[in-house]
Amino acid sequence: FLVVLVAAVALGQTATPPATTLPPKPLDTNISPATAPTPSTDPNDASGPVRDMMIGIGDLLKISVLGAPEYDQDVRVAGNGDIVIGLVGRVHVAGQTTEQAQALIRKRLMDGAYFSDPQVAVLEKEFATQGVSVLGEVQKPGVYQVTGPRRLFDVLSLAGGTTPKAGQVVTISSRDKIKTLQLVNFSTDPQKNIAANVDILPGDTVVVSKAGVVYVVGDVKHPMGVIMENGGHITILQALATAEGANSTAALRNAKIVRKGDNGPTEVLVDVKKIMQAKAPDVT
């Protein structure tokens, strides 16, 4: 965190403690992209291809073979990840995509000489783990039921949108790859937000990060904590303006930034008067 401190000219004057009021400027995620993001081959690109939905324990599957309606059957995935289907018997499908399960069942049917060239279809009729957990800086954290793939902004809308303290980074973890995290960055550019509107699958967990806060204290009119918007960047003048400016008794030439580092807090002296007179660059 950062602390911007404006010193007082009069000796012995004490700084007013920072107020807890934060400017009510929630991150706007109410964006309706006109076109879908272009698929990318970069595995770290959030706008890449849609993630495959994995079959999970408790899911209800419909198994069918083209031209053999008598083989149609509905089966539920057992706790060990197996299903039991006609002719083939026990098949382990948990953790596989429907395409992989189709290929596995097809091979088993051909190996048993039940069909010469079966066209197998596996359809997810019901997801046992349909809930998407939305946590962090959202208005209504909780688990929201979805029946199929949704977009990130849709899920955030279900949770009432983000709070005024929401940051720019959203972390998404899949139910099948808990240790693999997908990071999505919001932007003030609507075109970049199209790429941020990634697919969310049943069982995913979405965590909205908390924005950084700069505390403006000392001889200012409204000591407060200022949310770091605009991608997490803020300057001296922006922070000071949000605190309604300095008092007439403030020693603007002796302001300082108190910055927390790995080795403890450090002080950086700032001449705010020169910055306000455009004689020095505004400090981030």
Side-chain angles (χ1 to χ4, degrees), residues 54-157:
M54 301 293 182
I55 298 173
I57 294 174
D59 289 358
L60 182 64
L61 308 178
K62 179 180 178 60
I63 314 295
S64 60
V65 176
L66 182 64
E70 67 279 0
Y71 192 76
D72 291 358
Q73 52 199 299
D74 292 347
V75 293
R76 192 172 293 278
V77 182
N80 58 1
D82 294 347
I83 58 173
V84 179
I85 56 178
L87 304 178
V88 172
R90 190 176 299 276
V91 181
H92 186 80
V93 295
Q96 300 185 28
T97 64
T98 53
E99 289 79 8
Q100 292 172 331
Q102 288 170 180
L104 179 59
I105 296 172
R106 180 177 186 273
K107 182 178 184 302
R108 296 281 290 272
L109 288 172
M110 294 176 63
D111 290 345
Y114 301 112
F115 294 89
S116 59
D117 186 19
Q119 303 301 309
V120 179
V122 176
L123 173 67
E124 283 266 16
K125 293 188 66 176
E126 179 182 311
F127 294 93
T129 52
Q130 295 184 48
V132 172
S133 300
V134 187
L135 307 172
E137 293 300 325
V138 291
Q139 300 289 351
K140 296 181 290 184
V143 180
Y144 294 88
Q145 300 300 314
V146 296
T147 56
R150 301 290 293 271
R151 292 285 187 174
L152 174 60
F153 292 172
D154 297 334
V155 173
L156 293 180
S157 296

Side-chain angles (χ1 to χ4, degrees), residues 127-274:
F127 294 93
T129 52
Q130 295 184 48
V132 172
S133 300
V134 187
L135 307 172
E137 293 300 325
V138 291
Q139 300 289 351
K140 296 181 290 184
V143 180
Y144 294 88
Q145 300 300 314
V146 296
T147 56
R150 301 290 293 271
R151 292 285 187 174
L152 174 60
F153 292 172
D154 297 334
V155 173
L156 293 180
S157 296
L158 291 175
T162 57
T163 69
K165 295 186 290 184
Q168 302 290 321
V169 180
V170 176
T171 304
I172 304 169
S173 60
S174 170
R175 67 172 181 178
D176 301 299
K177 300 177 181 179
I178 299 176
K179 295 183 179 180
T180 303
L181 299 179
Q182 181 182 10
L183 299 181
V184 177
N185 291 288
F186 287 137
S187 172
T188 54
D189 184 351
Q191 289 297 326
K192 292 182 179 180
N193 267 334
I194 293 178
N197 196 22
V198 298
D199 286 280
I200 303 297
L201 304 182
D204 284 356
T205 299
V206 177
V207 181
V208 179
S209 65
K210 186 175 182 179
V213 180
V214 172
Y215 297 99
V216 185
V217 296
D219 200 12
V220 293
K221 294 181 180 178
H222 189 190
M224 64 185 304
V226 180
I227 296 292
M228 296 181 67
E229 298 179 347
N230 302 320
H233 298 283
I234 194 171
T235 67
I236 287 284
L237 291 186
Q238 289 172 337
L240 189 60
T242 307
E244 300 181 7
N247 293 322
S248 59
T249 55
L252 296 178
R253 295 186 182 278
N254 296 322
K256 64 182 68 176
I257 299 173
V258 179
R259 180 173 291 137
K260 182 179 180 181
D262 295 335
N263 299 322
T266 58
E267 289 187 358
V268 179
L269 295 178
V270 179
D271 191 337
V272 176
K273 188 170 184 178
K274 280 189 176 181

Side-chain angles (χ1 to χ4, degrees), residues 37-43 45-52 151 182 198-199:
T38 303
S40 169
T41 56
D42 185 357
D45 189 353
S47 62
V50 177
R51 292 175 291 139
D52 291 329
R151 292 285 187 174
Q182 181 182 10
V198 298
D199 286 280

